[in-house]
Amino acid sequence: MEWVSVILAASIPLVLFIGYLNRKGTTNKDTKGIGWQFIRYNVLCISLPLVGLLAINGVLTGEVSTVIAGIVGFAFGKTGD
């Protein structure tokens, strides 16, 4: 199970790095702004491995689940206006 924890832990900074590369732009294109779709993508792609990592290691408590659920709920409950 240790290798699963390593993979899940490595996926969190990888999501942030790939998201940065996606928004960075190139010499031909301008940089992109951070919209709600990008925020929702990051919240999901970071929270799911985090929950898995905490659950595998036995430290996922009710309080942690509540905070993560609140973060996901805010990201998906917010309208894009």
Side-chain angles (χ1 to χ4, degrees):
M1 281 296 193
E2 188 173 311
W3 59 275
V4 175
S5 295
V6 171
I7 292 171
L8 288 173
S11 69
I12 295 171
L14 185 65
V15 166
L16 295 173
F17 181 69
I18 291 173
Y20 166 73
L21 291 179
N22 184 27
R23 297 294 170 182
K24 180 177 77 162
T26 60
T27 55
N28 300 334
K29 295 182 181 177
D30 291 335
T31 58
K32 298 178 184 177
I34 298 178
W36 277 106
Q37 288 300 100
F38 181 71
I39 293 171
R40 289 178 183 125
Y41 162 78
N42 278 328
V43 165
L44 272 184
C45 292
I46 290 173
S47 65
L48 291 177
L50 182 65
V51 168
L53 184 64
L54 293 173
I56 286 173
N57 292 316
V59 293
L60 184 64
T61 62
E63 292 83 8
V64 174
S65 298
T66 302
V67 169
I68 292 172
I71 292 168
V72 172
F74 178 78
F76 282 92
K78 178 75 174 160
T79 59
D81 46 326

